[in-house]
Amino acid sequence: MKSVHRHLPGLEVTDHQLLAPLDHDRPDGEKIEVFCREVVATRRAKDDLPRLVYLQGGPGFEAPRPVEPSGWLGRALEDYRVVLLDQRGTGRSSPMTAQTLSALESPKAQAEYASHFRADAIVRDCELVRKALPGGGTPWTVLGQSYGGFCAVHYLSAAPEGLSGVLITGGLPALDRPVDDVYRATYPRVIDRNRAYFERYPEDRDRVREIAALLEREDVRLPSGGRLTPRRLQLLGIQFGFSDGFETVHYMIEDAFVNIGNRRTLGIRFLKAIDQQQPWDTNPIYAMLHEAIYCQGTASRWSAHRLMGEAPELAATGDAPAFFTGEMIYPWMFEDFAELRPLQEAAEILAAKSDWPALYDLERLAKNTVPGAAAIYANDMFVERAFSEETAAKIPHLRTWITSEYEHNGLRADGAKILTHLLELMHGER
């Protein structure tokens, strides 16, 4: 493991880089780099503190970059050394993008490579990191946000000996439900959030229709090179799962148009904002593997796309409301996003892949002894509350906090309070 230390105001930060097998079942095969940052409060730098590893939501997004001891990180640093892992394929770990995948000889090879970037491989990376860190070998606590929570549950299932505690925010997955169950549950929540949005901003109905009509008439290109289509516009609805999401979308929509002479068209600020809100060009793991994170011995076959017909409210045609979609991935995204186009065939192979290994050992989870706590957001647009409660009931020693106070981004919005609550739950203080 290679390590570099630096000082930030109030923080001591050590960068760690090590090699891991692309395929953990072939330890002598191709290697990739895995990167993490270990952070400790300056005032506690010489203390013998336990470690907490943070797993980011996604899939396919790097860990947050520490700047100051605030939010959930500041609270965690009161008790832990915090390890911020760039999950394989993201950040300073060997990146997986259209650019890097272009080195492989075929879409089949690209799909095979990408198949090694799910929760099972991430957890095995965690174990390599844990054992390689100075004084390693001691079990640590995992904090999993959203998809990071999926990884944490797999961790409990596959390597509980590496854990001293489990903390999960908005990320208790269904253990044995097919992927279609997930989208049948989440589509109605997306529709409910749309209704709430247009109740708050009724004027946006006509604005969204006007934007969509222009996009039907014209070939509008984004700064990234992708095409902005009505269906791509609908993807902005992913923001509705966050506490500030309605405002994020509304302020974009109300500022969408500019007048050039006698012509009304979409302004560059709006087009740039679309790119910023849809990072799938730079983080294609999300688009390629989002449905696969639910698959165990079955193929997804573009589940969200197949089931969209069960949610006719999302059809933005005629006089129908111009509703937005949510966290769903659709095959046409590999046409509309410039950096996803070269990965279209590989994505089709992954969508047809039916031999995904199991992610959760139900018998082992039923015997769990690792203490833990999970925040379940009652109105979560991304992770179905009923499925999370089903899962919690199957894992002993995992206590739950069901709250309607927060949306899916609760850890970002009020991290110190949420983490304090979960730690008290885990330690039996609540």
Side-chain angles (χ1 to χ4, degrees):
M1 175 179 280
K2 297 179 180 178
S3 303
V4 177
H5 178 264
R6 57 179 52 85
H7 172 76
L8 275 65
L11 302 174
E12 302 301 318
V13 180
T14 306
D15 296 350
H16 299 293
Q17 199 111 27
L18 78 163
L19 293 177
L22 171 66
D23 181 352
H24 280 278
D25 290 330
R26 297 177 59 211
D28 296 327
E30 181 179 352
K31 299 292 193 297
I32 60 173
E33 289 188 335
V34 173
F35 172 84
C36 67
R37 282 190 173 92
E38 186 172 9
V39 185
V40 63
T42 299
R43 62 183 178 79
R44 304 211 63 186
K46 295 183 180 180
D47 294 350
D48 183 17
L49 297 172
R51 287 190 172 99
L52 177 147
V53 59
Y54 175 74
L55 298 181
Q56 174 66 29
F61 290 93
E62 61 273 19
R65 275 35 188 163
V67 176
E68 60 183 6
S70 62
W72 74 261
L73 178 61
R75 174 61 185 87
L77 291 173
E78 294 178 15
D79 302 314
Y80 297 96
R81 294 176 181 270
V82 175
V83 177
L84 301 169
L85 178 73
D86 280 355
Q87 297 168 24
R88 55 172 48 204
T90 74
R92 285 186 57 189
S93 294
S94 296
M96 192 179 90
T97 63
Q99 183 182 30
T100 61
L101 289 174
S102 68
L104 300 177
E105 66 273 14
S106 68
K108 182 178 179 181
Q110 292 173 344
E112 168 61 24
Y113 184 91
S115 70
H116 298 293
F117 286 74
R118 294 201 313 163
D120 42 6
I122 292 168
V123 166
R124 293 176 82 169
D125 291 343
C126 284
E127 281 295 275
L128 286 181
V129 171
R130 181 179 69 85
K131 294 171 183 177
L133 287 171
T138 302
W140 58 10
T141 295
V142 60
L143 170 59
Q145 157 63 16
S146 188
Y147 175 66
F150 288 34
C151 295
V153 174
H154 176 75
Y155 214 146
L156 275 178
S157 180
E161 66 279 2
L163 296 173
S164 58
V166 174
L167 303 166
I168 295 171
T169 57
L172 271 179
L175 296 177
D176 52 4
R177 286 181 174 271
V179 62
D180 284 8
D181 281 10
V182 172
Y183 292 107
R184 283 200 171 97
T186 53
Y187 265 129
R189 290 197 182 277
V190 171
I191 292 167
D192 287 345
R193 295 298 286 169
N194 270 275
R195 289 177 176 142
Y197 173 81
F198 285 112
E199 182 177 342
R200 182 177 297 181
Y201 297 113
E203 67 274 23
D204 284 0
R205 289 182 180 275
D206 289 339
R207 289 171 176 163
V208 172
R209 287 195 181 108
E210 184 182 4
I211 296 170
L214 184 149
L215 297 177
E216 289 281 7
R217 297 191 308 270
E218 300 181 18
D219 183 348
V220 176
R221 296 289 160 166
L222 294 162
S224 62
R227 183 178 178 184
L228 181 56
T229 58
R231 60 194 183 185
R232 181 165 177 178
L233 176 70
Q234 286 182 282
L235 295 180
L236 288 177
I238 193 172
Q239 295 297 322
F240 291 174
F242 307 132
S243 57
D244 55 356
F246 284 5
E247 282 59 53
T248 297
V249 175
H250 169 67
Y251 295 138
M252 290 174 63
I253 296 300
E254 73 169 1
D255 197 32
F257 285 98
V258 296
N259 294 312
I260 302 177
N262 294 322
R263 181 169 173 262
R264 183 169 164 83
T265 190
L266 296 174
I268 185 61
R269 291 197 302 171
F270 175 71
L271 300 178
K272 290 274 288 184
I274 293 281
D275 268 341
Q276 291 167 358
Q277 295 297 332
Q278 299 177 349
W280 319 143
D281 280 322
T282 54
N283 297 73
I285 290 176
Y286 185 96
M288 297 180 77
L289 293 176
H290 190 269
E291 292 196 348
I293 68 175
Y294 300 104
C295 294
Q296 303 179 85
T298 59
S300 73
R301 299 186 298 112
W302 299 112
S303 176
H305 185 66
R306 286 187 291 102
L307 296 178
M308 192 173 182
E310 298 180 12
E313 296 93 335
L314 298 177
T317 57
D319 294 328
F323 277 8
F324 296 92
T325 53
E327 197 184 26
M328 296 75 178
I329 295 297
Y330 303 100
W332 54 258
M333 292 171 65
F334 292 83
E335 301 170 15
D336 291 4
F337 286 75
E339 291 294 317
L340 295 184
R341 284 184 212 131
L343 303 176
Q344 186 170 18
E345 290 184 63
E348 291 289 348
I349 293 170
L350 290 168
K353 181 178 170 64
S354 60
D355 59 348
W356 294 106
L359 291 168
Y360 311 112
D361 183 334
L362 271 64
E363 290 187 10
R364 196 169 194 184
L365 287 173
K367 299 175 182 177
N368 175 63
T369 60
V370 179
I376 298 174
Y377 302 128
N379 303 310
D380 199 322
M381 194 178 82
F382 303 141
V383 181
E384 173 58 33
R385 169 187 173 176
F387 298 169
S388 294
E389 291 185 71
E390 284 179 2
T391 295
K394 296 176 181 177
I395 305 176
H397 303 287
L398 181 67
R399 304 182 66 190
T400 58
W401 170 34
I402 302 172
T403 175
S404 60
E405 186 177 353
Y406 300 102
E407 300 295 339
H408 191 75
N409 64 324
L411 191 65
R412 172 167 59 86
D414 199 5
K417 182 177 177 180
I418 286 177
L419 185 54
T420 295
H421 193 116
L422 291 179
L423 287 168
E424 290 175 352
L425 266 183
M426 184 175 72
H427 294 312
E429 297 169 1
R430 280 184 177 264

